[in-house]
Amino acid sequence: TAGNSTYIATAQATAYSQVSGEHRWFNAPSGTAGTTITFTQAMTLDASGNLGIGTTTIGSRLQVNGNAAIGYSASTAAPTNGLSISGNTTIGTTTAAGKFTIDPDDNQVGLAITGTSLTSANAQSLIDLAQTWNTTGNPTAIKLNITNTASGANSLLMDLQVGGTPEFRVTRTGNVVVNGSTSTYQMHVVGTGSLLALGEESFTTGKQMLFGIDASGNGEIQSVQQGTSYRNLSINPLGGNVGIATSSPTSTLHANGS
């Protein structure tokens, strides 16, 4: 058997055996003629038709202990315990729409990334998309194209949550909701205080326009340079009338009411 073999010449060695319905392939590094060979069981086809490469404990139809490269004609080192694929990859379909295509079963999650813990100082992005564009065309980095034919459905185009709490949502009708669940407005920032800032990024010296709701529920608009002073506010600086409680102002400042 493979375990009782000796080298007949100084060279590498291989062996094959059938045991209990299994096909077993062995290999060994180069050794000296007359010495005992220490074989490694490199590949096994068990009695159930399962194939194991680099392992004798097979739990799947194909089980590989190590890395694998598919579609490469030359010597290609795949990532450690990883997989390198030269061509297109499909899951749930045989028709590729790109390098990686998923066609999930009805009412099932198409792609789930779970169990990832980002705790160290070197934590990386959960999803990192990077590409260089040099084209005269009109490419799109991320495209969501959903056909929703269910009347009255509360489906969402996008739902970003932190700890299960919605932080940013895009509804099926295209409305954007920040820090809330739903809205009938095209853009809705939920909360109190200064909710929306336009202008420079710095929160210590930036010049900004602030929009918000005070503690009593009243609306606020404030021009400010952070850390310095409040700034002047211009309305229609290039011309036009301003109306208060009217949509048809007839003078530079038209207030309808007392």
Side-chain angles (χ1 to χ4, degrees):
T1 64
N4 300 321
S5 301
T6 58
Y7 289 99
I8 60 176
T10 301
Q12 296 175 334
T14 60
Y16 166 77
S17 65
Q18 295 184 33
V19 180
S20 301
E22 288 188 349
H23 299 265
R24 300 176 180 179
W25 290 265
F26 302 84
N27 59 15
S30 180
T32 304
T35 61
T36 301
I37 302 173
T38 302
F39 277 110
T40 297
Q41 190 168 332
M43 187 167 66
T44 305
L45 180 64
D46 67 18
S48 299
N50 300 324
L51 180 64
I53 300 175
T55 179
T56 58
T57 306
I58 309 170
S60 303
R61 182 62 70 184
L62 173 63
Q63 185 152 344
V64 179
N65 181 17
N67 56 0
I70 298 176
Y72 294 93
S73 59
S75 299
T76 299
T80 301
N81 291 327
L83 177 65
S84 293
I85 300 176
S86 176
N88 297 333
T89 302
T90 63
I91 298 177
T93 179
T94 58
T95 302
K99 274 293 185 181
F100 187 65
T101 303
I102 300 176
D103 187 1
D105 293 336
D106 292 344
N107 303 316
Q108 299 297 316
V109 175
L111 177 64
I113 302 175
T114 61
T116 302
S117 179
L118 305 179
T119 57
S120 72
N122 297 321
Q124 302 297 311
S125 303
L126 188 62
I127 299 177
D128 194 346
L129 304 178
Q131 191 175 46
T132 300
W133 289 350
N134 183 9
T135 176
T136 57
N138 299 293
T140 302
I142 299 176
K143 180 179 180 179
L144 299 178
N145 186 6
I146 306 297
T147 300
N148 190 340
T149 59
S151 61
N154 293 321
S155 53
L156 300 169
L157 294 178
M158 183 179 294
D159 186 7
L160 304 182
Q161 300 185 6
V162 176
T165 300
E167 298 292 345
F168 183 91
R169 283 184 164 183
V170 181
T171 69
R172 63 187 293 266
T173 57
N175 295 338
V176 176
V177 188
V178 180
N179 197 37
S181 297
T182 186
S183 177
T184 57
Y185 299 106
Q186 198 72 32
M187 178 74 179
H188 191 162
V189 181
V190 180
T192 57
S194 296
L195 302 177
L196 179 64
L198 303 178
E200 298 174 347
E201 182 179 3
S202 173
F203 286 98
T204 56
T205 61
K207 300 180 182 70
Q208 300 163 353
M209 274 285 294
L210 305 180
F211 300 82
I213 304 295
D214 68 15
S216 300
N218 300 313
E220 292 182 339
I221 301 175
Q222 179 65 58
S223 178
V224 64
Q225 181 172 6
Q226 298 287 0
T228 301
S229 62
Y230 297 114
R231 307 283 293 189
N232 295 331
L233 175 64
S234 298
I235 301 177
N236 282 358
L238 302 180
N241 297 331
V242 175
I244 300 177
T246 178
S247 59
S248 303
T250 57
S251 58
T252 303
L253 179 61
H254 184 167
N256 183 17
S258 58

